[in-house]
Amino acid sequence: MNKKLAITFSAAGLILLVFLIFYWTEYTKELETENIKKFFDFQTKILNKNIEEEKLSAMTVAVLLSENENIKTCLLQHDREGCLRALNNFTNILQNVSIYKNVKFHIHTADMKSFVRSWIPMHDDNLLGFRYMLKEVKKGVLADIEVGRGGVFIRAVAPILSSENSFLGSIEVLLDFEHLSDFFKEQGIDLFVLLKKGYDSPYQSKDNENMINDFYLINKDYANLNILPILKTINFKGEQFHKFNTHNFAIEPMNDTMGNKIGYFVIYFNSDQKERNLSKLNIWLK
């Protein structure tokens, strides 16, 4: 009887031990998940704060250039080559500052047509149908995220006024997301910028290599492409937080100046230190 009782207690103790191990394992996983969610909440706030700061940086440059006499003169005289030379000079100067490394400029006429783009020789196209910020620029300088024919950028637009205070047109400063991406990379975090694909979008790309489901990967030239196989499995209409083993993703909506959801920012963090280091070496993760 004592032997049977001992066996019974031993079996019960083993079951209890297994239960405790299982409970502790699940509790540890849940605690880790909650900590990563808190980590992502903080990083999302940092992302939004940095975007606002970059808007202000772009706005500052736009205001300064709108007061530049060379810009005013070339626009008033319809001297496209003169404006392009002036913009190239500003590009060369500003590129020495990391946040403006890939800066672009766009001058528009008073009737919202493209006068000159600093990065391509395309001009005279009508911007009225999709550039919402340009419709408000007569009221003063403004900055936000918006989609154009060149893609999605942090944009700032300032009115260009004559000496008689008449509206000549506007100048726009465009910043891409590489500076933001570099900021997160320094912390071991990756940032992906996804723009929603749509037949009615002013941005149309025939490059299928920069597609993730129904989105363009806007920052593919400087994003961590090792993560794409996992990123393609995410349902962006689902939850904000996604976890695949040690791969963790936070999804933040990207809205334009009209409040339309035009895509997503995706913050990625690998909780495994070894895999984070391998990722930096461009070794594909399985």
Side-chain angles (χ1 to χ4, degrees):
M1 186 69 180
N2 289 337
K3 186 176 181 180
K4 289 183 178 180
L5 189 62
I7 292 174
T8 302
F9 276 117
S10 297
L14 182 61
I15 293 172
L16 179 61
L17 179 61
V18 171
F19 174 78
L20 290 175
I21 292 174
F22 174 79
Y23 175 81
W24 178 254
T25 301
E26 292 301 310
Y27 172 76
T28 303
K29 288 181 181 178
E30 185 176 337
L31 185 62
E32 179 189 14
T33 299
E34 289 302 314
N35 286 335
I36 291 175
K37 285 183 178 180
K38 290 178 182 178
F39 171 78
F40 274 137
D41 285 341
F42 177 73
Q43 296 301 329
T44 300
K45 290 178 182 177
I46 293 296
L47 170 65
N48 290 322
K49 179 177 180 293
N50 285 355
I51 289 173
E52 292 303 315
E53 290 178 352
E54 297 211 2
K55 288 179 187 178
L56 291 175
S57 297
M59 189 182 295
T60 300
V61 175
V63 170
L64 290 174
L65 295 190
S66 70
E67 297 294 332
N68 183 271
E69 290 302 322
N70 291 331
I71 296 293
K72 290 184 178 184
T73 300
C74 68
L75 181 57
L76 190 60
Q77 297 178 354
H78 206 74
D79 178 11
R80 186 171 286 111
E81 291 300 320
C83 277
L84 188 57
R85 286 194 298 271
L87 293 181
N88 286 339
N89 288 335
F90 291 122
T91 300
N92 293 334
I93 293 170
L94 288 171
Q95 281 179 340
N96 295 314
V97 182
S98 60
I99 190 174
Y100 303 117
K101 181 172 65 173
N102 303 317
V103 66
K104 293 178 171 62
F105 301 107
H106 193 180
I107 297 177
H108 325 101
T109 60
D111 58 350
M112 291 180 61
K113 290 184 178 180
S114 173
F115 184 65
V116 62
R117 291 173 168 92
S118 67
W119 67 101
I120 52 172
M122 181 180 178
H123 52 78
D124 289 330
D125 49 311
N126 196 325
L127 309 171
L128 184 63
F130 56 90
R131 292 303 316 280
Y132 307 112
M133 290 169 61
L134 300 186
K135 298 176 183 179
E136 301 294 324
V137 71
K138 287 184 180 181
K139 301 176 184 178
V141 62
L142 64 162
D144 218 321
I145 294 175
E146 194 169 73
V147 184
R149 290 199 170 98
V152 61
F153 294 88
I154 296 173
R155 302 170 183 260
V157 188
I160 301 175
L161 305 177
S162 70
S163 55
E164 293 81 23
N165 217 34
S166 61
F167 182 70
L168 302 178
S170 55
I171 185 164
E172 181 176 28
V173 177
L174 298 83
L175 300 180
D176 66 11
F177 300 94
E178 185 169 3
H179 186 256
L180 282 173
S181 181
D182 289 343
F183 171 83
F184 283 106
K185 280 181 181 178
E186 291 175 358
Q187 305 174 64
I189 302 169
D190 290 292
L191 179 69
F192 299 91
V193 183
L194 306 183
L195 175 64
K196 188 187 300 182
K197 182 182 179 181
Y199 69 92
D200 56 345
S201 173
Y203 176 72
Q204 297 292 332
S205 175
K206 297 180 181 179
D207 181 10
N208 291 326
E209 292 183 359
N210 70 347
M211 290 293 297
I212 296 180
N213 303 329
D214 296 324
F215 301 92
Y216 297 112
L217 176 58
I218 292 298
N219 64 329
K220 71 169 187 175
D221 292 336
Y222 45 89
N224 183 357
L225 300 184
N226 292 331
I227 314 302
L228 292 192
I230 306 173
L231 193 60
K232 289 180 179 180
T233 67
I234 292 179
N235 176 13
F236 289 94
K237 296 180 181 180
E239 298 180 357
Q240 183 182 14
F241 175 74
H242 298 266
K243 183 174 178 61
F244 306 92
N245 296 322
T246 63
H247 306 287
N248 306 279
F249 298 84
I251 313 299
E252 178 72 2
M254 177 170 60
N255 300 320
D256 67 7
T257 188
M258 298 293 290
N260 301 315
K261 186 188 293 183
I262 57 174
Y264 295 95
F265 294 106
V266 181
I267 303 173
Y268 166 78
F269 177 73
N270 193 326
S271 51
D272 184 276
Q273 178 69 46
K274 183 179 179 180
E275 287 197 6
R276 281 207 305 274
N277 292 335
L278 288 175
S279 177
K280 293 177 183 178
L281 298 175
N282 290 325
I283 297 176
W284 285 87
L285 302 178
K286 302 296 183 181

